[in-house]
Amino acid sequence: MSLEVLEAKIALNELVGEFSNLEINVPAQMKLFTPDTNVKVYMGDTLAFDISGVEELEKIFSQFTATVKRSHHMNGQFVSEVDGDTAKGTLYCNANLVTEENGEEVITENLIYYNDTYVRENSKWFIKSRESHFKITDKRVLGK
C-alpha cells in the first residue's frame, strides 16, 4: 500500500469521525458533504429517505434532530478503498439520541452502518453519497 493511499485512508477516517463527533450539529456536518450529495436512509430494508443536495439534507437532518436534547455517537470498524481522488467506505456506528416524551426522557439507540462514496477536492475529502442503514433501533424510557 502506497504512502498516498495510507494518507487518504487516515483522512477518510478523520472525515467520518468528524461527522460523528459533530453529533447533532447539522450546519457543521453539512460542510463535510459535497453540494450535490445524495443520501439514502434505510430503516431496516425500507427506504425511508432519498435526499438530493446538501440544502435538502440540512433541512431533513435539522427536522430529525430538532427535539434531541443530548446525543452520543460511537464509531466502530471502518474499511475504505481508495482510487485516486475517489474512495468508498463502510462505517459502523452506534448513535444514541435522548428526547423528551410525555415528561420523560426517552433514549433511542440506533445501530447503523454507512456505505459511503467520497471525493477529494482541493486536497480535502468530502462525502459524495451515503447509504445509512439503520439495522437495529431500540427506544425506551431512559433509566428504566
Side-chain angles (χ1 to χ4, degrees):
M1 190 175 309
S2 72
L3 181 57
E4 181 181 353
V5 169
L6 286 172
E7 288 173 338
K9 285 178 169 277
I10 291 168
L12 291 168
N13 191 54
E14 291 287 321
L15 173 63
V16 297
E18 183 177 357
F19 177 85
S20 292
N21 285 346
L22 290 169
E23 297 196 0
I24 59 171
N25 183 344
V26 175
Q29 286 177 327
M30 294 305 103
K31 296 174 184 169
L32 306 177
F33 291 86
T34 61
D36 63 342
T37 194
N38 178 257
V39 175
K40 291 182 168 82
V41 179
Y42 292 87
M43 304 304 283
D45 294 329
T46 303
L47 178 62
F49 296 100
D50 187 353
I51 305 163
S52 296
V54 76
E55 290 178 7
E56 184 181 0
L57 182 63
E58 182 169 10
K59 177 183 169 189
I60 291 172
F61 275 21
S62 293
Q63 291 170 349
F64 180 76
T65 60
T67 61
V68 176
K69 296 172 62 175
R70 295 188 308 281
S71 66
H72 179 72
H73 291 68
M74 178 70 68
N75 287 345
Q77 65 269 32
F78 175 61
V79 177
S80 61
E81 293 181 21
V82 178
D83 183 13
D85 288 334
T86 63
K88 294 187 179 294
T90 300
L91 170 71
Y92 283 77
C93 180
N94 182 331
N96 296 288
L97 308 172
V98 176
T99 56
E100 188 172 314
E101 295 181 18
N102 302 318
E104 293 187 292
E105 286 192 327
V106 173
I107 187 167
T108 303
E109 180 179 17
N110 297 291
L111 302 177
I112 310 163
Y113 74 89
Y114 303 108
N115 284 329
D116 293 339
T117 301
Y118 311 101
V119 295
R120 181 169 38 196
E121 298 173 354
N122 300 318
S123 301
K124 183 172 168 55
W125 286 97
F126 297 92
I127 302 168
K128 174 77 173 166
S129 65
R130 169 168 275 186
E131 286 187 2
S132 303
H133 295 268
F134 286 69
K135 297 308 287 181
I136 299 171
T137 297
D138 183 30
K139 186 175 182 178
R140 62 191 179 281
V141 174
L142 190 60
K144 292 189 178 180

